[in-house]
Amino acid sequence: MTDNLLETPERAAIEDFLRRSTVKEGQRATYERVLGFLAGVVITPGRIMPSDWLQPLLDLNGIVFDDIDDANRFMGALMPLYNRSNLVGVNGENLCPFDVDKTAEAFDAREQIVEWAIGFHGALTLRPDIWGAEKHETRHVPAKLLEEAHAAIPFLWALAEPHAIPEIVPDPVPFQRSLLKRVPGWTEDMQRETWDDELIDLFSLYCVGRLKETTEALQRYAEAYGRQQSVESASSQPFGGKVKIGRNDPCPCASGKKFKKCCGA
């Protein structure tokens, strides 16, 4: 089911808006970035309403509307995609839609994978109180799981902002010793004491290869964190975290139809 998120009926309509986006020169808006952002919204525990995440999503992708009808057309494509992503999360599936376990395929799709990671990371930054929480703030989360989440976030950050890798991992030596020594022909005298462009690129590629593992750790942390949310948060509207929508409930896209006859079809 996760793979289908890359080939949804909404993709063409969303890409139509992205083609006329106003991102800075040298940057581009992509469907994968939108999809990654929605994944981040979906897994974040608590109540995140569209009013909290929609404008950041538009800003991240440089999306602007000509008029209210234009905005409604975009929302008509975006919310069904949100609901599809939400169902993947509710079903406990990994929201990373790429088969990064296969090295060749991950390399071929590297650009798209990085775009997804940029969107995913962008959504998580909306709630630093959750994703950057310390141990004393998350006593209900198992310590090991909190450690895994804290260890996973830098790999996501490195994909979203590769220029920050020297800040994220100040010492490049351990990375080289643990990974590059497995590379045929690599010797100790080739080890570098500081980051350079080639080493940064290698570390970024390493982060691509472990993106599914990173996403899985963050999803498990989010589930444990959200388990102790207040009754108010747990019963928030379907646009919030991982809230299951009943098939006979009104569809959250505001079509007036039941979910099973609309976005849940």
Side-chain angles (χ1 to χ4, degrees), residues 6 9 15 53 71 88 96 116 157 175 213 239 242-243 260:
L6 293 170
E15 287 186 326
W53 58 259
V88 170
C96 176
W116 187 91
W157 180 14
F175 164 64
E213 179 183 345
F239 298 117
K242 290 167 55 175
V243 180
K260 66 181 179 182

Side-chain angles (χ1 to χ4, degrees), residues 3 5-7 18 33 36 39 49 79 83 85 96 99 102 118-119 122 127 155 166 170 196 208 224 263:
D3 290 340
L5 292 176
L6 293 170
E7 301 177 3
L18 298 178
R33 187 180 295 195
M49 297 297 289
M79 293 317 298
N83 290 328
S85 300
C96 176
D99 191 0
K102 297 181 179 178
I118 290 172
R127 293 301 305 273
F155 293 113
D196 59 21
V208 165
C263 297

Side-chain angles (χ1 to χ4, degrees), residues 130-167:
I130 292 176
W131 298 107
E134 299 296 334
K135 188 174 182 179
H136 69 277
E137 299 171 309
T138 56
R139 292 187 176 90
H140 58 283
V141 177
K144 183 178 180 181
L145 190 51
L146 180 62
E147 290 175 5
E148 287 182 23
H150 281 177
I153 287 175
F155 293 113
L156 182 63
W157 180 14
L159 277 178
E161 300 178 20
H163 62 274
I165 288 176
E167 174 188 351

Side-chain angles (χ1 to χ4, degrees), residues 30 37 40 57 77 97 109 113 125-126 138 140 152 172 198 206 213 221 238:
T30 64
F37 190 97
L57 171 66
I113 292 171
T125 62
L126 298 179
T138 56
H140 58 283
E198 184 179 6
Y206 171 70
E213 179 183 345
Y221 165 78

Side-chain angles (χ1 to χ4, degrees), residues 7 27 31 36 38 42 51 64 85 98 111 156 167 170 186 192 198 206 211 216 232 236 249 258:
E7 301 177 3
Q27 299 179 349
Y31 172 85
L38 293 179
V42 163
S51 57
V64 293
S85 300
F98 301 97
E111 189 173 348
L156 182 63
E167 174 188 351
W186 188 85
R192 301 163 204 179
E198 184 179 6
Y206 171 70
L211 182 57
E216 192 264 341
E232 179 181 356
S236 61
D249 291 342
K258 290 185 178 181

